[in-house]
Amino acid sequence: MALTVEDLASALGVEAQGDGSLVIDALAEPGTARAGDLALASNPKYASALAQGQARAALLWTDADWEGLGLKAAICVGRPRYSMATLTALYDAAWQGAEGIHPTAIIADDATVAGSVGPYSVIGAGTVIGDGARIGAHVTIGPNCRIGSGAVIRDGARIAHDVTAGASLVVQPGALIGGDGFSFVTPEPSAAETVRETLGGDAGNAQAWTRIHSLGGVEIGDDVEIGAGSSIDRGTIRATRIGTGTKIDSLVQVGHNVEIGEHCLLCGHVGIGGSSKIGDHVILGGKTGVVDNITVGDRVVTGAGTLLMANVPAGRAMLGYPATQMTSHIASYKALRRLPRDIAALKKAVLKLGGSD
């Protein structure tokens, strides 16, 4: 895609600096940029690498000395990283997808699809997909789904029956939405129930597991993204819910009946146990685990590898296993690292006292 520096500046709502007619073929890191690239140098640390590349134009911070950096043009913005959202969208050709319905696609007679569908994709009976949808290859969307306008469902994604989603849904390759929940029961209280009740002791008799079927669906708000290889289980009776604006990374597991609020960020390898409730604007760092049937308040942030085992009040920053407030966890860790030194000093003091008798 050939856009000029002026075109890009206009898309960002700022004025181009220098020669706005320079054609930009692609985006690049400063040190490897070619003459036709826009180098992404968001701060002086990255700008120092411009001399290693051949870029004539760059995305820079406000008041940057672009001429002093040897450039012929620049786009200067207050938050360069935020501007990358607009710029990368302009150059992501793969995101656009093919036009029309591929002849190998299988679409039920009573399904409605207002968009493009790639090869070997299957759309189930009674499903309605809104305007401007871009559905990749080998996608399966089950019966009686409702997906809003502007959806991007990429290659190999799987959406089971009775899934509802708002506008601008993004589903990355290999994601699965609406599989059955992991819900099984035994004739008498199971070992898991007994251990949870007693926190140890006799785990009870061995018993066979019986499936509880998943009759609920999945309900997803607007502008939600589901990462590659992630799985969202359908509810048992009521639906599993994902709030508007929430972004889910790759390889995330959301259990049955979970409710996730609006504008949350779930990083890779997060696992959320069934029937837990996550508030709005929550950030769960990579490999965070959330046990079943707890509530995580609004604006909670967890560090990587955290395990939440009890309710968390709104606004807390949590870290560790089991999770504690981040400040307390860090203080405990520092104290633990100091412990050998403190013990050695204490031992020395005790020996000194003993020698003085």
Side-chain angles (χ1 to χ4, degrees):
M1 179 179 292
L3 296 168
T4 66
V5 171
E6 183 64 41
D7 293 332
L8 300 180
S10 178
L12 296 174
V14 298
E15 292 185 5
Q17 306 295 315
D19 185 359
S21 67
L22 287 178
V23 174
I24 302 299
D25 299 315
L27 309 177
E29 294 183 352
T32 58
R34 299 164 300 179
D37 295 340
L38 180 75
L40 303 176
S42 56
N43 63 48
K45 178 177 66 175
Y46 301 134
S48 62
L50 284 168
Q52 302 170 22
Q54 301 173 350
R56 298 178 296 169
L59 177 72
L60 302 172
W61 60 98
T62 302
D63 299 327
D65 182 10
W66 59 274
E67 291 176 300
L69 292 168
L71 299 169
K72 294 185 177 180
I75 302 172
C76 298
V77 294
R79 184 162 162 75
R81 181 168 172 79
Y82 187 73
S83 297
M84 286 175 61
T86 298
L87 296 178
T88 53
L90 291 172
Y91 284 91
D92 192 356
W95 195 256
Q96 306 308 317
E99 295 296 327
I101 309 296
H102 195 275
T104 62
I106 300 173
I107 301 176
D109 291 340
D110 61 349
T112 301
V113 181
S116 61
V117 181
Y120 301 103
S121 290
V122 179
I123 312 296
T127 285
V128 177
I129 300 175
D131 295 341
R134 287 165 283 170
I135 299 171
H138 295 275
V139 170
T140 300
I141 301 177
N144 301 315
C145 292
R146 297 290 184 273
I147 298 175
S149 61
V152 176
I153 303 174
R154 307 192 76 170
D155 298 351
R158 300 286 185 263
I159 299 177
H161 61 286
D162 298 315
V163 171
T164 300
S168 303
L169 173 69
V170 175
V171 184
Q172 296 289 353
L176 173 59
I177 302 173
D180 285 348
F182 192 69
S183 189
F184 297 87
V185 68
T186 51
E188 298 178 3
S190 68
E193 293 172 277
T194 302
V195 169
R196 176 177 290 209
E197 182 68 25
T198 63
L199 298 180
D202 186 0
N205 298 324
Q207 302 177 72
W209 297 99
T210 300
R211 162 184 289 274
I212 297 177
H213 287 257
S214 300
L215 305 182
V218 177
E219 297 176 359
I220 300 172
D222 297 335
D223 194 30
V224 170
E225 179 157 346
I226 312 297
S230 288
S231 176
I232 301 174
D233 291 348
R234 66 193 316 102
T236 305
I237 303 298
R238 59 179 170 83
T240 300
R241 296 187 175 94
I242 311 293
T244 288
T246 286
K247 313 299 182 187
I248 298 177
D249 196 3
S250 301
L251 301 175
V252 169
Q253 164 68 23
V254 178
H256 62 277
N257 296 349
V258 167
E259 296 183 18
I260 298 176
E262 297 186 350
H263 304 289
C264 295
L265 200 67
L266 276 56
C267 301
H269 289 218
V270 162
I272 303 178
S275 299
S276 282
K277 185 174 181 180
I278 311 297
D280 298 335
H281 300 278
V282 170
I283 301 174
L284 300 181
K287 292 188 179 297
T288 290
V290 181
V291 302
D292 59 294
N293 291 283
I294 68 169
T295 298
V296 178
D298 297 344
R299 306 181 315 284
V300 166
V301 177
T302 69
T306 296
L307 178 58
L308 302 180
M309 302 180 68
N311 295 341
V312 183
R316 289 277 177 88
M318 306 293 289
L319 183 63
Y321 166 55
T324 56
Q325 289 195 63
M326 192 172 290
T327 52
S328 298
H329 180 90
I330 293 171
S332 298
Y333 178 70
K334 288 181 177 179
L336 184 63
R337 291 193 64 182
R338 289 194 303 265
L339 191 59
R341 183 186 64 191
D342 293 344
I343 290 176
L346 181 61
K347 182 178 179 180
K348 184 177 180 180
V350 170
L351 290 173
K352 185 176 181 181
L353 287 173
S356 62
D357 290 340

